[in-house]
Amino acid sequence: MSDKKENLVSCVVNGKSVTVSKNTSIIKAFKAAGEDIAHYCYHPGLSVAGCCRLCMVEIEGNPRTQIACNTMVAEGMKITNQSEKIKEDVQWGLDFHLLNHPLDCPICDQAGECGLQEQYMKFGQYEPEMNQNKVKKNKVVSLGEKIVLDTERCILCSRCVRFTDEVSKTHELGIFNRGDRSEVGTFNGKELNNDYALNTVDICPVGALTSKDFRFKQRVWYLKRAEAICTGCSTGCSIYLDYNDEGFFRVMPKPNENNNSYWMCDEGRDLYQHLNPKKRLVQVCPSQSINASSSEEAVQGLKTTLENITDKTKVGVLVTGQYSVEDYQAFFSSIKEKTSIEKVYHWFDQKNSENDFDDLLIRGDKNPNTKGLLSVTKDLSLNLVDSLELKNTASHLDVLIVLGPEYNKFFSTLDEKIAMFKKAGQVFYFSSVKLEALDALSNVTQIPLPSLVERGGTYINYKGLEQKVAILPKVISGILNFSEIAKVLRGEKVQLEPVFLKTQKVKDNQFNFQKK
């Protein structure tokens, strides 16, 4: 206990007492005290640059003002940013940052979540005294496949440059030229296409860097925000999902120091596309022998088929590690009630790359809940076996029930599995996403599932971290979640929830990236 106290220091921030760890910067002490402080270049996930000069503070006994991002708290220190001197310093700093910044907020994609707007409203609102003409710079500069740069908006905080130097370590970006001609750009022959490039858009405080995929699709004040996890690999990064009644529009990382820090990979940002109807399996596609026009009727067809099979070895179950703990519990329990199955085939296509890791976030296991699947099958005394065994057993099965992948691109053996499906008697394929190759198979009934955010549940990542996903309203009508499927298999009635999306088409991105 005494050691812990020795590692703490107390100070006073704007009249509030606060205790923080030794070697804590003043800006972090301000945030710990819940006090606003102006800043642009500071980011908790990057090194200190100290270049925006906005986080100015006065320290009692020190005749000179200091920057809070690069000054450490000392015991008994009394700090303020409420004096008239500091307010004037910050206003002058803002005035300089806005000197060459275009007044294009009405068309800027960052409007509504712009650090420059927020800082001006909190700390600025001054009468500008600059009379020089603005310096014109390059606009609509494509930095690669994913990002557009507007150099006039850039205030040279260097967050993006430090990100590529310190986090992705790909070094594509630099600050070129001098004085008021300085600009962020890429080095010759390099484009900003690394696996984490879109994090630079997240940390850009002024809308200089924008995502080609998201820009001009929605105003951020029309979006709601939900918390979830990325299901692109076994890291399970914490994320925000931005959506409204027109659909899902983007994925951004949610800070989580126990898992993904402040970042996520670009591949995981495609998750939102798999939640919208365009890529979803939106209705039942029955096989020739199943008469069903709804999910409930299709599951009733499965129930009848299972009840007509007396030999449990004639029933096979094939699953991926893409579903939540609660999904597996509901699904396996209901299937066991019907068939007393003892083994489950595990569809896992990353055996050779399972332990791959890029030293940042991306892992070889492309399933978010392999550990959860292993745990549930163990608890239910189910033997989880390699799906390769299906090569020998598929032709002996009267029924094969499949929980298919939600990210088809990560499953390299899709064609191989489809060849196995052809050998089985009847196949009931559950998934939230469309797999068009199955349409040609007359023995396959495709049954749509809710997406991960419509199902919710618990996911266990590669290191055993359990994370909960909240349930959002369904975007497709008439689909059953796993607890509802279990009810239908038990012969119970289900009450379906209404959908929340509007029916109109989502606006296309009309922006022309070839504009000169």
Side-chain angles (χ1 to χ4, degrees), residues 213-232:
D213 180 55
F214 177 71
R215 57 189 275 145
F216 305 136
K217 282 186 177 174
Q218 284 287 324
R219 283 300 197 184
V220 295
W221 51 81
Y222 293 136
L223 294 173
K224 300 173 184 176
R225 174 159 282 190
E227 297 179 4
I229 66 161
C230 175
T231 52

mmCIF file of all heavy atoms in Angstrom, residues 213-232:
data_model
loop_
_atom_site.group_PDB
_atom_site.id
_atom_site.type_symbol
_atom_site.label_atom_id
_atom_site.label_comp_id
_atom_site.label_asym_id
_atom_site.label_seq_id
_atom_site.Cartn_x
_atom_site.Cartn_y
_atom_site.Cartn_z
ATOM 1 N N ASP A 213 -14.355 5.830 -48.538
ATOM 2 C CA ASP A 213 -15.541 4.981 -48.405
ATOM 3 C C ASP A 213 -16.690 5.716 -47.705
ATOM 4 O O ASP A 213 -17.849 5.537 -48.065
ATOM 5 C CB ASP A 213 -15.173 3.722 -47.614
ATOM 6 C CG ASP A 213 -16.357 2.801 -47.446
ATOM 7 O OD1 ASP A 213 -16.960 2.438 -48.464
ATOM 8 O OD2 ASP A 213 -16.700 2.460 -46.295
ATOM 9 N N PHE A 214 -16.383 6.558 -46.726
ATOM 10 C CA PHE A 214 -17.436 7.175 -45.916
ATOM 11 C C PHE A 214 -17.824 8.575 -46.364
ATOM 12 O O PHE A 214 -18.981 8.981 -46.210
ATOM 13 C CB PHE A 214 -16.995 7.225 -44.453
ATOM 14 C CG PHE A 214 -17.992 7.918 -43.552
ATOM 15 C CD1 PHE A 214 -19.208 7.317 -43.258
ATOM 16 C CD2 PHE A 214 -17.729 9.167 -43.026
ATOM 17 C CE1 PHE A 214 -20.139 7.951 -42.444
ATOM 18 C CE2 PHE A 214 -18.650 9.819 -42.213
ATOM 19 C CZ PHE A 214 -19.859 9.200 -41.921
ATOM 20 N N ARG A 215 -16.885 9.320 -46.967
ATOM 21 C CA ARG A 215 -17.138 10.745 -47.174
ATOM 22 C C ARG A 215 -18.377 10.989 -48.043
ATOM 23 O O ARG A 215 -18.622 10.319 -49.031
ATOM 24 C CB ARG A 215 -15.921 11.460 -47.750
ATOM 25 C CG ARG A 215 -15.401 10.917 -49.050
ATOM 26 C CD ARG A 215 -14.066 11.561 -49.426
ATOM 27 N NE ARG A 215 -14.221 12.814 -50.124
ATOM 28 C CZ ARG A 215 -13.403 13.858 -49.988
ATOM 29 N NH1 ARG A 215 -12.396 13.786 -49.143
ATOM 30 N NH2 ARG A 215 -13.585 14.948 -50.672
ATOM 31 N N PHE A 216 -19.111 11.992 -47.627
ATOM 32 C CA PHE A 216 -20.324 12.478 -48.298
ATOM 33 C C PHE A 216 -21.486 11.481 -48.273
ATOM 34 O O PHE A 216 -22.465 11.669 -48.992
ATOM 35 C CB PHE A 216 -20.039 12.899 -49.745
ATOM 36 C CG PHE A 216 -18.947 13.924 -49.852
ATOM 37 C CD1 PHE A 216 -17.972 13.806 -50.822
ATOM 38 C CD2 PHE A 216 -18.886 14.979 -48.980
ATOM 39 C CE1 PHE A 216 -16.959 14.740 -50.920
ATOM 40 C CE2 PHE A 216 -17.877 15.923 -49.069
ATOM 41 C CZ PHE A 216 -16.908 15.805 -50.033
ATOM 42 N N LYS A 217 -21.388 10.431 -47.484
ATOM 43 C CA LYS A 217 -22.516 9.506 -47.393
ATOM 44 C C LYS A 217 -23.523 9.947 -46.340
ATOM 45 O O LYS A 217 -24.720 9.782 -46.509
ATOM 46 C CB LYS A 217 -22.021 8.097 -47.060
ATOM 47 C CG LYS A 217 -21.437 7.347 -48.253
ATOM 48 C CD LYS A 217 -21.099 5.930 -47.877
ATOM 49 C CE LYS A 217 -20.576 5.164 -49.089
ATOM 50 N NZ LYS A 217 -20.109 3.820 -48.724
ATOM 51 N N GLN A 218 -23.015 10.481 -45.220
ATOM 52 C CA GLN A 218 -23.903 10.892 -44.133
ATOM 53 C C GLN A 218 -23.282 12.057 -43.370
ATOM 54 O O GLN A 218 -22.061 12.150 -43.256
ATOM 55 C CB GLN A 218 -24.116 9.740 -43.144
ATOM 56 C CG GLN A 218 -25.052 8.663 -43.622
ATOM 57 C CD GLN A 218 -26.511 9.074 -43.618
ATOM 58 O OE1 GLN A 218 -26.956 9.800 -42.731
ATOM 59 N NE2 GLN A 218 -27.257 8.623 -44.609
ATOM 60 N N ARG A 219 -24.112 12.927 -42.822
ATOM 61 C CA ARG A 219 -23.665 13.894 -41.832
ATOM 62 C C ARG A 219 -23.633 13.194 -40.482
ATOM 63 O O ARG A 219 -24.572 12.465 -40.132
ATOM 64 C CB ARG A 219 -24.615 15.092 -41.785
ATOM 65 C CG ARG A 219 -24.417 16.051 -42.947
ATOM 66 C CD ARG A 219 -23.011 16.604 -42.942
ATOM 67 N NE ARG A 219 -22.870 17.793 -43.751
ATOM 68 C CZ ARG A 219 -21.713 18.405 -43.961
ATOM 69 N NH1 ARG A 219 -20.611 17.923 -43.400
ATOM 70 N NH2 ARG A 219 -21.643 19.491 -44.688
ATOM 71 N N VAL A 220 -22.566 13.432 -39.724
ATOM 72 C CA VAL A 220 -22.386 12.631 -38.508
ATOM 73 C C VAL A 220 -23.472 12.899 -37.476
ATOM 74 O O VAL A 220 -23.753 12.042 -36.635
ATOM 75 C CB VAL A 220 -20.991 12.879 -37.892
ATOM 76 C CG1 VAL A 220 -19.912 12.386 -38.827
ATOM 77 C CG2 VAL A 220 -20.805 14.339 -37.534
ATOM 78 N N TRP A 221 -24.100 14.085 -37.538
ATOM 79 C CA TRP A 221 -25.137 14.350 -36.535
ATOM 80 C C TRP A 221 -26.436 13.604 -36.836
ATOM 81 O O TRP A 221 -27.355 13.634 -36.038
ATOM 82 C CB TRP A 221 -25.395 15.858 -36.384
ATOM 83 C CG TRP A 221 -25.643 16.587 -37.662
ATOM 84 C CD1 TRP A 221 -26.806 16.654 -38.352
ATOM 85 C CD2 TRP A 221 -24.686 17.364 -38.386
ATOM 86 N NE1 TRP A 221 -26.646 17.419 -39.471
ATOM 87 C CE2 TRP A 221 -25.355 17.884 -39.518
ATOM 88 C CE3 TRP A 221 -23.339 17.689 -38.205
ATOM 89 C CZ2 TRP A 221 -24.715 18.683 -40.460
ATOM 90 C CZ3 TRP A 221 -22.708 18.486 -39.140
ATOM 91 C CH2 TRP A 221 -23.393 18.974 -40.247
ATOM 92 N N TYR A 222 -26.505 12.937 -37.989
ATOM 93 C CA TYR A 222 -27.657 12.081 -38.276
ATOM 94 C C TYR A 222 -27.400 10.627 -37.864
ATOM 95 O O TYR A 222 -28.225 9.753 -38.095
ATOM 96 C CB TYR A 222 -27.996 12.115 -39.765
ATOM 97 C CG TYR A 222 -28.496 13.458 -40.262
ATOM 98 C CD1 TYR A 222 -28.041 13.992 -41.451
ATOM 99 C CD2 TYR A 222 -29.426 14.177 -39.533
ATOM 100 C CE1 TYR A 222 -28.492 15.224 -41.912
ATOM 101 C CE2 TYR A 222 -29.882 15.403 -39.974
ATOM 102 C CZ TYR A 222 -29.409 15.922 -41.174
ATOM 103 O OH TYR A 222 -29.870 17.138 -41.624
ATOM 104 N N LEU A 223 -26.221 10.341 -37.336
ATOM 105 C CA LEU A 223 -25.851 8.965 -37.012
ATOM 106 C C LEU A 223 -26.002 8.677 -35.524
ATOM 107 O O LEU A 223 -25.732 9.536 -34.686
ATOM 108 C CB LEU A 223 -24.398 8.697 -37.434
ATOM 109 C CG LEU A 223 -24.113 8.735 -38.939
ATOM 110 C CD1 LEU A 223 -22.613 8.619 -39.193
ATOM 111 C CD2 LEU A 223 -24.854 7.622 -39.657
ATOM 112 N N LYS A 224 -26.421 7.446 -35.220
ATOM 113 C CA LYS A 224 -26.385 6.947 -33.852
ATOM 114 C C LYS A 224 -25.131 6.099 -33.712
ATOM 115 O O LYS A 224 -24.540 5.679 -34.699
ATOM 116 C CB LYS A 224 -27.626 6.099 -33.570
ATOM 117 C CG LYS A 224 -28.932 6.850 -33.732
ATOM 118 C CD LYS A 224 -30.108 5.899 -33.592
ATOM 119 C CE LYS A 224 -31.421 6.624 -33.839
ATOM 120 N NZ LYS A 224 -32.569 5.703 -33.813
ATOM 121 N N ARG A 225 -24.755 5.818 -32.475
ATOM 122 C CA ARG A 225 -23.521 5.056 -32.247
ATOM 123 C C ARG A 225 -23.784 3.899 -31.298
ATOM 124 O O ARG A 225 -24.400 4.077 -30.237
ATOM 125 C CB ARG A 225 -22.441 5.983 -31.693
ATOM 126 C CG ARG A 225 -21.175 5.282 -31.290
ATOM 127 C CD ARG A 225 -20.000 6.246 -31.243
ATOM 128 N NE ARG A 225 -19.502 6.518 -32.587
ATOM 129 C CZ ARG A 225 -18.370 7.172 -32.849
ATOM 130 N NH1 ARG A 225 -17.639 7.629 -31.863
ATOM 131 N NH2 ARG A 225 -17.967 7.365 -34.092
ATOM 132 N N ALA A 226 -23.352 2.702 -31.694
ATOM 133 C CA ALA A 226 -23.469 1.518 -30.839
ATOM 134 C C ALA A 226 -22.085 0.920 -30.620
ATOM 135 O O ALA A 226 -21.202 1.059 -31.471
ATOM 136 C CB ALA A 226 -24.374 0.484 -31.497
ATOM 137 N N GLU A 227 -21.898 0.277 -29.476
ATOM 138 C CA GLU A 227 -20.634 -0.386 -29.186
ATOM 139 C C GLU A 227 -20.748 -1.853 -29.568
ATOM 140 O O GLU A 227 -21.778 -2.485 -29.359
ATOM 141 C CB GLU A 227 -20.291 -0.250 -27.700
ATOM 142 C CG GLU A 227 -20.074 1.187 -27.270
ATOM 143 C CD GLU A 227 -19.748 1.294 -25.792
ATOM 144 O OE1 GLU A 227 -19.615 0.239 -25.138
ATOM 145 O OE2 GLU A 227 -19.637 2.428 -25.304
ATOM 146 N N ALA A 228 -19.663 -2.401 -30.127
ATOM 147 C CA ALA A 228 -19.648 -3.809 -30.515
ATOM 148 C C ALA A 228 -18.197 -4.275 -30.532
ATOM 149 O O ALA A 228 -17.304 -3.583 -30.025
ATOM 150 C CB ALA A 228 -20.298 -3.993 -31.889
ATOM 151 N N ILE A 229 -17.948 -5.442 -31.103
ATOM 152 C CA ILE A 229 -16.567 -5.875 -31.322
ATOM 153 C C ILE A 229 -16.416 -6.255 -32.787
ATOM 154 O O ILE A 229 -17.381 -6.632 -33.446
ATOM 155 C CB ILE A 229 -16.164 -7.067 -30.427
ATOM 156 C CG1 ILE A 229 -16.957 -8.326 -30.807
ATOM 157 C CG2 ILE A 229 -16.326 -6.752 -28.958
ATOM 158 C CD1 ILE A 229 -16.307 -9.588 -30.300
ATOM 159 N N CYS A 230 -15.204 -6.141 -33.283
ATOM 160 C CA CYS A 230 -14.908 -6.550 -34.652
ATOM 161 C C CYS A 230 -14.812 -8.077 -34.684
ATOM 162 O O CYS A 230 -14.157 -8.676 -33.826
ATOM 163 C CB CYS A 230 -13.603 -5.919 -35.121
ATOM 164 S SG CYS A 230 -13.089 -6.506 -36.756
ATOM 165 N N THR A 231 -15.436 -8.686 -35.681
ATOM 166 C CA THR A 231 -15.415 -10.148 -35.779
ATOM 167 C C THR A 231 -14.495 -10.618 -36.904
ATOM 168 O O THR A 231 -14.611 -11.741 -37.380
ATOM 169 C CB THR A 231 -16.839 -10.682 -36.013
ATOM 170 O OG1 THR A 231 -17.419 -9.992 -37.125
ATOM 171 C CG2 THR A 231 -17.699 -10.481 -34.788
ATOM 172 N N GLY A 232 -13.569 -9.751 -37.301
ATOM 173 C CA GLY A 232 -12.676 -10.099 -38.408
ATOM 174 C C GLY A 232 -11.543 -11.033 -38.041
ATOM 175 O O GLY A 232 -10.952 -11.664 -38.920
#
